[in-house]
Amino acid sequence: MPKIVDHNKQKEKLAEATWRVILRDGLERASVRNIALEAGISAGSMRHYFSTQSELLAFSMRLVSQRVKTRISSIQYTGELMADIQQLLCEILPMDEERSAEMEVWFGFTAKALVDPTLHALCSEVYDELRRVISSVMEALSKSDLLREGLDLEIETERLYAVIDGLAVHAVVMPSRLNPEMIRSVIAAHLRSLCK
């Protein structure tokens, strides 16, 4: 009887092997051969799942984004807007080992996206989704009449987006300086600066 293979699970296994190679050796070493070796399969077997390296990287990149979305969709909100916003924003950021690894891999993909059209389109899509999350945060603050008078909602959306993006970069590059407690403090201070 032939072995039944769950192709999606196998693709996820290969994506996770891709992440491990990137984290350990860098994106430039994430060749089909090295990823196959990491996953414990032959390089030829990779073709059953991905026809090109770009396709494998795109799937791996999309899986990072999907895991973040899954975490966000499973948040148990308290009903207290400011606490819920902070919780939501922290789910996007590298607050623990798993999220730090995802973010580090994501930044590798982002760099590769500068020269790979497939990854560039996906990268733009994910950054647009993140901006929509930030925009929804600002709209919620505005609708709840918590924002200070005279703020430009568009500018403040971009500013919060830049703060979150900057925290992500700094937390990956300088984790000893920007720990989860400091990230939470910066987010809370920024939100306070927006509110009455």
Side-chain angles (χ1 to χ4, degrees), residues 71 90-91 93-103 180 183-184:
R71 274 200 309 274
C90 285
E91 283 302 331
L93 294 165
M95 302 295 283
D96 56 29
E97 194 174 314
E98 176 187 359
R99 288 179 277 182
S100 292
E102 287 173 355
M103 190 63 66
I183 290 171
R184 284 187 192 92

Side-chain angles (χ1 to χ4, degrees), residues 38-138:
E38 179 70 26
I41 66 170
S42 70
S45 295
M46 294 277 284
R47 288 189 196 94
H48 293 295
Y49 305 102
F50 301 103
S51 57
T52 65
Q53 183 189 31
S54 182
E55 191 180 306
L56 168 61
L57 293 178
F59 182 87
S60 301
M61 189 176 188
R62 193 172 281 111
L63 189 59
V64 172
S65 174
Q66 188 55 51
R67 293 218 172 145
V68 173
K69 287 179 197 173
T70 299
R71 274 200 309 274
I72 287 172
S73 69
S74 65
I75 292 174
Q76 298 293 314
Y77 291 108
T78 65
E80 184 188 329
L81 185 60
M82 293 302 275
D84 289 344
I85 286 172
Q86 289 180 50
Q87 185 178 6
L88 169 65
L89 295 175
C90 285
E91 283 302 331
I92 298 166
L93 294 165
M95 302 295 283
D96 56 29
E97 194 174 314
E98 176 187 359
R99 288 179 277 182
S100 292
E102 287 173 355
M103 190 63 66
E104 192 174 329
V105 167
W106 177 260
F107 288 144
F109 288 138
T110 300
K112 178 80 171 166
L114 296 173
V115 295
D116 184 319
T118 302
L119 296 183
H120 180 76
L122 180 56
C123 187
S124 294
E125 179 185 315
V126 172
Y127 276 111
D128 287 346
E129 288 173 1
L130 174 58
R131 191 184 184 291
R132 282 191 293 275
V133 168
I134 300 300
S135 182
S136 71
V137 163
M138 293 304 298

